[in-house]
Amino acid sequence: MRALGLVASPEALAAPDYHPPHAGDLAVTGRRGKSVVILGAGIAGLASAYELAKAGYRCTILEAKDRVGGRNWTVRGGTTLTDLDGRTQTARFGRDQYMNAGPARLPQSHLTLDYCRELGVPIEPFINQNANALIYNERTGAPVQQARTAKADVYGYVSELLAKALDQGSLDSRLSGEDKDRVLTFLSGFGAIGSKADGYAYTGTDRRGYTVEPGAAGEAGTVLGPPPSLTDVFAGQVGRYVSFEFGYDQAMMMFQPVGGMDGVPMALYRAVGADKVRLGAEITKLTNLPGGVEVAYKDKYGKSQLVKADYCIATLPPHIMARIPTNLDPAIASALGFPTVTPVGKIGLEYSRRWWEEDDRIYGGITETDTDLAHVWYPSYGFHGKRGVVIGYYNTGGSANTYGALTPESRLERALAQGAKIHGEKYKQGLLSSFSVAWQRTPFIEGGWVGWPSRTSGQYDLLNKPAGRVYFAGDWLSYFIAWQAGAFDSARYAVTGLHQRVLAGG
Ligand code: PHE
């Protein structure tokens, strides 16, 4: 029977690893797949339907937008957006040009890559760190410099300081003589500092870069130098961002789907079946009944509709879900209103020339700034092509609100003025088109992501349990918020709980 797929493997439901629902699980208990209505066709909603379908559950997804994917949204030529302020934009990007307005990078450890593999979504490297990208600290007045230069100076001076302290015996209570030697050997390589005879001084090396590159015959190159003083390096705060790449989920290698991040939801959509998804369906009421659920919605023609199902998986953002009338315990609505919402913005700038590659030799990666642009991303696709889309800002919080409050034209103007401080006047030249998103002003989403003021005060646990026949899922119910992997894993969690309940006769 197991060979025929009619029996669950005994360890299937007990193992901590994920085991997708299987038709055999139901067959062995003599039960049939139930019907499930899923609210939201973002990653959590699509993944829930995809996983449940593996065991033959009948799913219907209700999605308020006219597309699937939620925040996983790739903007291409012709893509339109009307925001909550009634501002409509239509992207004019050229062929093969796009911007990932939401998620845009995938760490190697994340479940999202497993889904890419399973669904056949091709991936390519995403360049998250680039030694040739820039550091721009406006507030300290430090000169614009390559990340490699900032790193060389910060690691160099820190190594010098520590080597001197060791040499002077300041850390003798902590280190044996052998330890000291080993740490000094490490520092010599890490910081490229001088020898004991040189007082372990950091004086700069070619790690900082060159003003004239080495070449043939007599051209030995001219090293960029000397480094600014230790005081200036730290006063300039150029090291403010260099530890970013140590982050567990921000370290290279990183990946992106070839052709746009929406390759992920589109593959899920195809797998689930377009006939299972009702687009333009705005939920108006959710009723939990003793034997099922009832969801009322307004369809794309404005007509009231009702769906009945055995169960519901609600994957809307919590702050949106909190507003939908339900007959659930009021504690649920209050818990849904508990997370705080982070505003997030991005602008795509399409240029007729890849000046960042041609002039600045920046092939992908991110320039870090302390301005309201926050991060400037160079594309990790289309190298040496004719055009390219730079992400002119990727910001959060107050900066995202500043740009979000502006018209798309004013956002562009401000982003160009700010970017020109880093890249010069060419930043304003050869611009073909632009498109910006302020997630907090985007209908049915209204935020970039959320944060829990506390995960131990009850609300998080409450929503990770079913409320009657209603399950909740989304990145916001995981420990990796603002990552698709969180949405995938949360969907798996809800699906597993639901399936176990059905197997148990619930
Ligand atoms: N996942 C998003 C990103 O990569 C948001 C995020 C940033 C999450 C940094 C965690 C850390 O930009």
Side-chain angles (χ1 to χ4, degrees):
M1 283 178 82
R2 190 165 301 150
L4 292 169
L6 292 173
V7 191
S9 54
E11 66 282 4
L13 298 172
D17 290 344
Y18 176 68
H19 293 277
H22 188 279
D25 306 340
L26 292 165
V28 79
T29 56
R31 304 187 199 285
R32 292 202 44 224
K34 302 277 184 177
S35 58
V36 182
V37 60
I38 296 168
L39 314 186
I43 296 299
L46 289 168
S48 296
Y50 174 70
E51 293 298 331
L52 285 169
K54 291 177 178 173
Y57 285 81
R58 284 160 285 125
C59 297
T60 303
I61 307 185
L62 303 176
E63 168 55 53
K65 289 192 172 292
D66 59 2
R67 61 167 180 84
V68 301
R71 285 164 289 167
N72 180 325
W73 189 37
T74 300
V75 175
R76 300 185 180 79
T79 303
T80 65
L81 169 66
T82 300
D83 67 16
L84 292 170
D85 304 298
R87 298 160 177 157
T88 297
Q89 294 178 76
T90 302
R92 299 281 170 224
F93 298 153
R95 232 186 81 201
D96 298 331
Q97 298 299 319
Y98 68 83
M99 82 185 260
N100 288 323
R105 50 186 165 194
L106 307 174
Q108 293 165 88
S109 57
H110 280 192
L111 212 42
T112 313
L113 288 184
D114 298 79
Y115 278 93
C116 287
R117 194 193 314 108
E118 185 169 323
L119 294 161
V121 178
I123 58 167
E124 63 191 3
F126 172 87
I127 300 155
N128 208 34
Q129 284 96 38
N130 182 346
N132 274 13
L134 308 176
I135 305 264
Y136 177 65
N137 278 353
E138 180 171 69
R139 271 169 271 184
T140 64
V144 184
Q145 54 184 256
Q146 289 188 331
R148 71 169 73 254
T149 314
K151 276 191 198 174
D153 291 348
V154 170
Y155 297 169
Y157 281 125
V158 167
S159 298
E160 175 185 328
L161 291 175
L162 184 50
K164 284 189 159 126
L166 288 177
D167 193 49
Q168 288 161 15
S170 314
L171 291 168
D172 281 0
S173 61
R174 181 76 178 78
L175 301 173
S176 71
E178 245 185 359
D179 291 339
K180 242 159 95 167
D181 288 344
R182 289 178 184 139
V183 175
L184 283 168
T185 303
F186 165 75
L187 292 172
S188 147
F190 182 66
I193 53 178
S195 65
K196 183 176 168 73
D198 301 323
Y200 301 109
Y202 171 68
T203 52
T205 67
D206 66 355
R207 288 185 187 178
R208 305 190 76 242
Y210 286 87
T211 51
V212 179
E213 293 278 328
E219 184 50 75
T222 308
V223 172
L224 172 66
S229 71
L230 181 150
T231 300
D232 287 347
V233 165
F234 287 98
Q237 292 180 28
V238 294
R240 191 177 59 90
Y241 227 85
V242 300
S243 39
F244 167 73
E245 69 197 63
F246 301 152
Y248 178 67
D249 47 21
Q250 294 292 346
M252 291 297 279
M253 287 299 292
M254 294 194 82
F255 289 87
Q256 65 184 8
V258 175
M261 189 59 84
D262 67 353
V264 176
M266 292 321 286
L268 285 166
Y269 188 36
R270 274 193 298 275
V272 164
D275 57 313
K276 309 290 190 309
V277 184
R278 299 185 196 167
L279 297 173
E282 253 185 81
I283 318 295
T284 51
K285 189 163 188 220
L286 167 64
T287 312
N288 181 59
L289 301 167
V293 291
E294 234 175 51
V295 179
Y297 69 93
K298 212 167 68 196
D299 72 14
K300 59 183 170 189
Y301 308 108
K303 221 175 131 219
S304 296
Q305 304 281 1
L306 198 64
V307 188
K308 293 183 186 201
D310 296 316
Y311 294 96
C312 173
I313 300 181
T315 71
L316 310 187
H319 46 285
I320 306 282
M321 191 66 213
R323 284 188 224 144
I324 291 175
T326 74
N327 67 339
L328 301 174
D329 186 323
I332 298 284
S334 134
L336 287 165
F338 187 51
T340 49
V341 181
T342 301
V344 176
K346 272 191 193 179
I347 193 168
L349 308 171
E350 185 190 28
Y351 289 94
S352 60
R353 181 175 88 80
R354 296 174 79 95
W355 49 261
W356 52 96
E357 293 170 6
E358 292 170 19
D359 303 352
D360 301 344
R361 304 194 85 82
I362 299 174
Y363 287 75
I366 299 174
T367 281
E368 302 298 350
T369 85
D370 66 352
T371 70
D372 56 22
L373 301 175
H375 319 282
V376 176
W377 291 24
Y378 311 95
S380 288
Y381 68 93
F383 300 105
H384 286 177
K386 285 212 163 50
R387 305 170 168 208
V389 177
V390 169
I391 301 299
Y393 60 75
Y394 168 25
N395 52 22
T396 61
S399 300
N401 277 333
T402 300
Y403 282 91
L406 302 175
T407 63
E409 299 73 33
S410 304
R411 290 176 196 162
L412 171 62
E413 203 181 313
R414 184 175 176 123
L416 291 178
Q418 293 286 66
K421 294 181 191 166
I422 305 166
H423 281 291
E425 283 307 299
K426 71 180 170 211
Y427 204 78
K428 299 179 179 165
Q429 287 150 17
L431 190 85
L432 296 175
S433 66
S434 82
F435 190 91
S436 56
V437 58
W439 283 109
Q440 70 278 11
R441 301 303 297 155
T442 298
F444 309 116
I445 293 182
E446 298 188 28
W449 53 74
V450 300
W452 291 92
S454 160
R455 272 194 175 91
T456 54
S457 48
Q459 298 90 341
Y460 182 78
D461 290 342
L462 180 67
L463 296 173
N464 264 305
K465 287 202 266 287
R469 291 179 161 257
V470 179
Y471 290 73
F472 296 98
D475 67 308
W476 51 281
L477 285 174
S478 77
Y479 277 89
F480 25 28
I481 286 181
W483 292 103
Q484 294 173 87
F488 276 118
D489 210 36
S490 176
R492 286 180 167 193
Y493 185 78
V495 160
T496 301
L498 195 159
H499 185 52
Q500 279 174 341
R501 179 162 160 188
V502 170
L503 290 182

